[in-house]
Amino acid sequence: MAPKKTITAASLVHEGHPIATQTVPTDFAWRRDSTGSETQTLYFQLENGCLGFVQIAWAYLALTTTIETNAMFYIPGQPCVFESHNGHNLKVHKKSQEYECKGLAMSWNDDQTQLTVKYTAGKERNPKGVAASFIFARTSDGYKIGDAKNYIGDGSASHFFYPAGEITAKGELNGVKFESKGAGLFVHAHSANIMPYNVGAEWNMVYFIGYREGTAEDQKKAANAFTYNVLQYETPANAGSVNCSNASLTESSQLKAVLWDTTVEHFDEELDPNGSGYKIPKRLVFTSAGKTTDGKKIKVTFDANPAMRLHDIDVLHEMPYVIRRLVQALITKPFVFERYDGDSKVVVEIEGEEPFNVHGVAFNELTLMK
């Protein structure tokens, strides 16, 4: 039997039409419409050094619906905290403007310019667990590539982004209270008629924040920062091993460019000493191409060295029993490796302008399902 193909959203855009298009509020509405999975995720990089994400995840697999909350918090010099909990029941109100499950609530205002997040899942289960609240005030329009839908075999996968926003956060981590401002990124992911492990065999995600070379120390505030975000995955061999990617560059809380052609190269791979069975790259090179919001060609290169290992997620271990048995029969052992690069550099090349460097830090997530 011939392998089923992957057809990317970018490849379906007719010549002369923009590859990157603006999202509409309904792109961020819950679907929950078929076998597959769906997530709503807020990523954050705060001025006190704290970075991470909070997420509601929904899945319908093997006639079983699961709701989970996932959260990761890391402040340099402190232990990284990752929490995954049963969300029990997802309640959606006001045409997806508000939604909540046990331990995590997200609520948009009427014009979808501000998101309020309250995370209590950790504290509810353990007095030493994490509790945090966020206000994400988006500062630019959202984007998607084409209609956002990559067709993979008989199913599809879509991603929608609010790439720029100002974050106000407060919470308690490792028994210490914190309050800080920063930058944020919001992503809605949805797959339909396809098991999650059939979407991508390898995923590379990065969320970088930094400042243009030469920026004075007293000007290094989130409002003046650049961010570079990549979500790239390669579909499984039986779907053609096709590269699918989304990426963006923001400057001073505004979308500067959308990049739809990203390649990721892995170097210096070594067998994981923690026993996952995978070879983990010490170095990754991201190369993204696209256009700025004013129509210029742009190339962004990120030579990543995420030396600090924050947390490994054994996906099977986190799954309910019925789904775990199904997945275990079909793939080897899905793992997510959360890592941190504390001294990063992004090179930006824009048509008609001098190239420049941006120095900062990056959260790196590598997912392997082979």
Side-chain angles (χ1 to χ4, degrees):
M1 183 181 293
K4 296 180 179 179
K5 294 182 179 179
T6 297
I7 303 173
T8 66
S11 71
L12 293 173
V13 176
H14 295 294
E15 187 174 351
H17 290 256
I19 294 179
T21 57
Q22 186 174 321
T23 58
V24 295
T26 52
D27 287 331
F28 295 88
W30 285 96
R31 288 157 173 74
R32 299 178 295 165
D33 52 3
S34 63
T35 295
S37 62
E38 192 165 3
T39 58
Q40 304 269 9
T41 311
L42 177 67
Y43 295 90
F44 53 88
Q45 296 256 22
L46 304 181
E47 291 175 357
N48 69 347
C50 183
L51 60 84
F53 62 85
V54 289
Q55 177 186 82
I56 296 178
W58 172 94
Y60 181 69
L61 311 170
L63 303 179
T64 302
T65 299
T66 61
I67 310 295
E68 284 188 353
T69 63
N70 299 304
M72 193 200 80
F73 297 81
Y74 171 66
I75 295 178
Q78 296 187 24
C80 177
V81 175
F82 175 81
E83 299 180 338
S84 183
H85 297 294
N86 187 340
H88 294 285
N89 182 36
L90 179 62
K91 300 176 182 177
V92 180
H93 312 287
K94 295 177 64 177
K95 298 181 180 179
S96 279
Q97 292 284 101
E98 299 177 2
Y99 37 93
E100 62 180 315
C101 62
K102 181 175 175 58
L104 181 55
M106 298 185 177
S107 175
W108 288 99
N109 62 356
D110 289 342
D111 61 0
Q112 206 156 312
T113 57
Q114 182 170 292
L115 175 72
T116 301
V117 178
K118 187 175 182 181
Y119 177 77
T120 57
K123 206 74 169 175
E124 287 176 6
R125 294 165 172 83
N126 184 336
K128 295 182 180 180
V130 179
S133 61
F134 303 87
I135 294 176
F136 170 71
R138 69 177 182 88
T139 50
S140 76
D141 293 324
Y143 82 90
K144 56 190 175 185
I145 305 301
D147 69 355
K149 193 173 288 186
N150 294 319
Y151 293 91
I152 304 167
D154 295 323
S156 65
S158 307
H159 291 88
F160 308 92
F161 300 83
Y162 281 135
E166 297 174 351
I167 291 269
T168 302
K170 59 181 179 180
E172 186 175 334
L173 178 63
N174 297 318
V176 179
K177 293 184 178 181
F178 69 88
E179 189 167 346
S180 186
K181 294 182 178 181
L185 159 77
F186 189 82
V187 184
H188 176 210
H190 172 256
S191 67
N193 299 313
I194 187 170
M195 295 292 193
Y197 49 81
N198 283 331
V199 174
E202 176 185 300
W203 296 70
N204 293 278
M205 185 271 183
V206 69
Y207 185 34
F208 165 94
I209 185 169
Y211 302 90
R212 191 165 180 156
E213 197 168 71
T215 300
E217 287 299 320
D218 62 356
Q219 295 299 309
K220 291 184 177 180
K221 304 293 183 183
N224 302 325
F226 282 80
T227 70
Y228 171 58
N229 167 244
V230 176
L231 180 60
Q232 179 271 348
Y233 61 93
E234 182 180 281
T235 59
N238 62 7
S241 299
V242 174
N243 177 34
C244 302
S245 66
N246 306 262
S248 64
L249 182 74
T250 74
E251 179 184 8
S252 300
S253 302
Q254 295 296 316
L255 180 62
K256 189 174 183 66
V258 176
L259 310 122
W260 51 81
D261 182 8
T262 298
T263 59
V264 184
E265 299 173 275
H266 291 186
F267 298 95
D268 304 328
E269 293 184 325
E270 291 186 354
L271 187 64
D272 180 14
N274 290 2
S276 69
Y278 286 111
K279 288 186 175 181
I280 310 301
K282 290 183 176 181
R283 176 176 170 239
L284 306 90
V285 176
F286 296 77
T287 306
S288 300
K291 285 192 176 181
T292 62
T293 52
D294 58 358
K296 297 179 181 178
K297 291 181 180 179
I298 181 173
K299 176 183 173 183
V300 179
T301 306
F302 177 37
D303 195 334
N305 295 273
M308 179 172 291
R309 208 153 166 172
L310 299 178
H311 186 76
D312 299 347
I313 304 171
D314 182 343
V315 178
L316 290 179
H317 178 75
E318 303 292 346
M319 285 182 172
Y321 176 78
V322 173
I323 298 174
R324 182 167 67 246
R325 294 294 294 174
L326 172 67
V327 174
Q328 204 166 21
L330 297 171
I331 59 177
T332 309
K333 197 173 186 183
F335 256 86
V336 182
F337 303 95
E338 313 280 22
R339 298 188 291 173
Y340 176 70
D341 188 346
D343 185 13
S344 303
K345 183 179 76 171
V346 164
V347 180
V348 180
E349 300 172 77
I350 300 175
E351 181 181 19
E353 301 180 16
E354 285 294 318
F356 62 90
N357 299 332
V358 181
H359 295 269
V361 300
F363 167 60
N364 183 290
E365 183 178 86
L366 170 64
T367 303
L368 297 173
M369 292 193 278
K370 300 180 180 180

